[in-house]
Amino acid sequence: MRAGQRLLTTMKLLFVADPLEQFNIAKDSTYAMMRAAATRGHALWACEPADLSWQRGGCVSAVATAVHLTGSGQPWYRCDAPRSVVLADFDAVLMRKDPPFDAEYFYATHLLQQAEREGARVFNRPAALRDHPEKLALMEFAEWAPPTLVTRSTQAIRAFHAEHRDIILKPLDGMGGRGIFRVGPDGLNLGAIVELLTQHGRTTVMAQRFVPAIAQGDKRVLVIGGEPVPFCLARIPQGGEVRGNLAAGGRGVAQPLSEADWAIARALGPRLAARGLLLVGLDIIGEYLTEVNVTSPTCFQEIAQQTGYDVATRFIEALEAVVAAKGAQAEV
């Protein structure tokens, strides 16, 4: 399907997400997806992971509600009465639950994978969500990464610091910049930080050499259907912070992709798309890939507001194309 081309039929979409009343519609990318889908005539439904269930002899279902956008601020939606629906009856199911990737998220991916066996089309694919933990997925693409260590060993972290002198330490299940520490050449508080993050050697963490280019921003590069969005959001640390995450007070500045951004995104995009990852958010600092985000990548609205590039509509177009292609395959 050509960019901008509209499918003749409408889709029935189920968003598995956080509670709608918690959305910040000025920034939320899932809301942007919903708005773009509604504009193109698609029907919106929503539920939370806790609403999913399966019983022997039946199909994966959810207690879900039809969502109607009001287009008038608050309240930004109205819902029909909740009712039980079968996931395979939707044209597409979009898993948009925010991290952390905890045990309940893990269980939800298995329910969604069972729904796939029953004919549901789930994006991103549940197995791919499990296979690409957002920090550890970096290991597969090590040629693009800064010097990185994954361990629970205090001794290994101390040796890594001794070699690189200025490092970042972060938990593997963190989001929004939570739990990220920088330890400089003086090694101040390294022992205490390692004890805290590893829980005295019981929890695995990631260490990376500090990349000074963070001063120009931690760039979120979006890849849709294997193709990079031409603009990224550079999340620039503020007030002496080392974290650029918007949730940690970073300032978001949209900008065209650099040559390094294009190279990384083009190298990873087709490989990830082939695994059922329709939407990926790559985190790039300078010329280094630092994370591969697949659960609920964001920054749609910030990029659109600053550049005019409609990321959400591009995503819905890509979703339409994939669903149409899968439907055509099923008819053969």
Side-chain angles (χ1 to χ4, degrees):
M1 184 179 72
R2 297 189 307 273
Q5 183 179 346
R6 190 171 184 147
L7 293 179
L8 295 178
T9 59
T10 59
M11 297 190 297
K12 183 179 177 184
L13 306 177
L14 174 64
F15 289 82
V16 183
D18 291 293
L20 298 180
E21 62 269 20
Q22 294 180 10
F23 281 27
N24 178 355
I25 63 170
K27 295 184 176 182
D28 195 281
S29 293
T30 303
Y31 169 72
M33 291 176 181
M34 289 181 166
R35 184 178 58 196
T39 298
R40 296 172 72 83
H42 302 309
L44 309 179
W45 288 69
C47 72
E48 298 174 36
D51 298 320
L52 300 172
S53 64
W54 174 85
Q55 185 171 349
R56 193 186 72 168
C59 296
V60 175
S61 63
V63 177
T65 181
V67 179
H68 309 276
L69 306 189
T70 65
S72 58
Q74 295 294 343
W76 61 270
Y77 67 94
R78 62 179 178 82
C79 290
D80 294 347
R83 64 185 180 89
S84 181
V85 294
V86 173
L87 269 62
D89 290 341
F90 288 84
D91 294 291
V93 177
L94 293 96
M95 178 51 159
R96 289 290 300 175
K97 174 71 177 70
D98 283 343
F101 195 111
D102 55 14
E104 287 303 322
Y105 194 108
F106 177 78
Y107 303 148
T109 66
H110 279 284
L111 285 165
L112 292 172
Q113 189 170 15
Q114 175 60 26
E116 280 188 320
R117 297 186 190 104
E118 298 161 0
R121 304 178 181 99
V122 184
F123 305 92
N124 285 326
R125 289 199 67 185
L129 290 174
R130 292 197 303 273
D131 289 345
H132 297 80
E134 301 193 328
K135 293 179 175 63
L136 293 179
L138 184 71
M139 296 188 294
E140 181 181 355
F141 310 108
E143 67 269 30
W144 303 103
T148 301
L149 169 71
V150 177
T151 186
R152 65 172 72 177
S153 165
T154 299
Q155 292 78 12
I157 295 172
R158 287 190 177 278
F160 187 81
H161 176 263
E163 178 182 0
H164 297 289
R165 306 295 296 161
D166 197 350
I167 67 172
I168 294 291
L169 290 163
K170 51 189 175 182
L172 296 179
D173 61 353
M175 64 168 289
R178 296 173 191 166
I180 293 179
F181 293 89
R182 178 183 178 185
V183 180
D186 59 9
L188 186 65
N189 287 330
L190 176 60
I193 292 169
V194 172
E195 288 176 4
L196 174 67
L197 291 181
T198 68
Q199 299 183 55
H200 297 275
R202 293 191 298 273
T203 301
T204 302
V205 301
M206 176 175 282
Q208 291 180 323
R209 186 179 70 190
F210 175 71
V211 180
I214 185 64
Q216 286 76 54
D218 179 357
K219 294 173 288 185
R220 168 58 56 83
V221 175
L222 295 169
V223 183
I224 298 174
E227 294 292 332
V229 170
F231 297 95
C232 66
L233 191 75
R235 298 160 297 175
I236 302 172
Q238 302 293 298
E241 265 284 357
V242 71
R243 302 171 299 173
N245 308 74
L246 300 183
R251 180 169 62 94
V253 177
Q255 59 190 42
L257 300 193
S258 69
E259 289 186 10
D261 299 336
W262 280 111
I264 295 171
R266 283 171 169 158
L268 273 60
R271 295 166 65 180
L272 296 172
R275 301 170 187 176
L277 294 168
L278 181 65
L279 174 63
V280 176
L282 305 176
D283 287 350
I284 300 175
I285 301 176
E287 299 183 352
Y288 291 109
L289 176 70
T290 60
E291 292 188 18
V292 179
N293 296 273
V294 301
T295 50
S296 59
T298 59
C299 300
F300 281 35
Q301 295 210 59
E302 293 87 350
I303 291 173
Q305 290 160 6
Q306 294 183 40
T307 70
Y309 188 93
D310 192 340
V311 183
T313 294
R314 175 168 168 184
F315 174 77
I316 296 301
E317 289 174 355
L319 180 66
E320 290 171 346
V322 173
V323 170
K326 288 182 178 295
Q329 291 171 2
E331 293 173 2
V332 174

